[in-house]
Amino acid sequence: VSMLGSVPYRMLDALAPRLKEISGITISAGPLSRVPKIFGAEFEHKVRLESRFCNAPERQLSAMGEAVTYTPVHLSAYAHDVELTHKESVLMLMTTPPDENGFVSTGMCPTDRLEFEAAQLVIAQVNSEMPFVDGEGHKFSIDSIDFLVEANEPLNFVNAAEPTPEIEKIGGYIADMIEDGSCLQLGIGSIGRC
């Protein structure tokens, strides 16, 4: 599945009632912004998560006793990792409705063409709430998608946690090293907020 705001949660949650009938599901995902309903003891832990990030939902799943595998991957190598290591038999992602030329956009989270090519089946949750973002990795022909499922829902975002005293202390140490006019790259999480 995609990552963060582009994860098709409605489609994942719709799998929950079917988990009594099926097993052996591995969800390969970027960072999640919430825990999908397909995880939990009531489903006998039939779903495994392979993640390349370790955000709060991934840590929560691990604490719940779910099978979570964490493989750190640099973001620029994400698609290469999917193509070679974590091939998805089904690619599930969220897109915009098709435009007048038959293109959809994956919105805020790019998806590499390698993921489309590696998947045996591509299913898109079409959500009118998703913003249309043009460009490489965002815009795909509707012909590259096997099934469209219309399911509008508010987009999920990672809510920034308030920095702890420890993180504030780290920020204080770092602030003294930054010169005026410096350009900073900040990652996802509370350290960047301090």
Side-chain angles (χ1 to χ4, degrees):
V1 297
S2 296
M3 62 176 81
L4 294 172
S6 294
V7 173
Y9 286 105
R10 290 275 297 273
M11 288 198 305
L12 287 177
D13 291 346
L15 288 173
R18 299 230 26 240
L19 289 179
K20 303 272 187 231
E21 310 161 24
I22 56 178
S23 62
I25 296 174
T26 299
I27 303 291
S28 179
L32 299 173
S33 55
R34 72 166 175 86
V35 174
K37 294 177 183 175
I38 56 175
F39 291 99
E42 68 269 28
F43 300 118
E44 301 165 6
H45 308 291
K46 290 185 174 183
V47 180
R48 203 170 134 256
L49 175 67
E50 289 181 351
S51 183
R52 290 156 204 87
F53 298 87
C54 196
N55 283 355
E58 286 83 357
R59 291 190 300 273
Q60 183 181 352
L61 285 168
S62 184
M64 290 167 47
E66 297 295 336
V68 178
T69 303
Y70 168 60
T71 306
V73 174
H74 192 280
L75 195 54
S76 65
Y78 184 87
H80 185 72
D81 177 67
V82 168
E83 180 192 29
L84 297 178
T85 311
H86 296 94
K87 284 193 177 185
E88 299 155 332
S89 54
V90 178
L91 172 61
M92 295 171 67
L93 66 161
M94 190 184 299
T95 69
T96 64
D99 68 8
E100 63 279 356
N101 298 311
F103 286 92
V104 297
S105 172
T106 57
M108 308 154 304
C109 295
T111 303
D112 199 283
R113 291 197 185 285
L114 294 174
E115 293 181 74
F116 275 86
E117 293 167 7
Q120 296 168 16
L121 184 68
V122 178
I123 306 171
Q125 175 182 324
V126 178
N127 185 354
S128 62
E129 300 282 326
M130 180 67 79
F132 198 102
V133 177
D134 205 348
E136 183 68 31
H138 294 278
K139 186 174 167 182
F140 296 92
S141 168
I142 198 166
D143 296 335
S144 62
I145 299 170
D146 298 297
F147 294 98
L148 297 172
V149 177
E150 190 172 343
N152 296 322
E153 66 178 314
L155 300 177
N156 286 285
F157 294 96
V158 175
N159 293 323
E162 289 302 315
T164 63
E166 294 83 5
I167 290 173
E168 290 285 350
K169 196 168 191 175
I170 292 169
Y173 291 139
I174 295 169
D176 293 338
M177 296 183 234
I178 300 171
E179 298 175 14
D180 284 345
S182 294
C183 179
L184 304 176
Q185 178 186 345
L186 303 175
I188 299 169
S190 55
I191 293 283
R193 292 194 63 215
C194 66

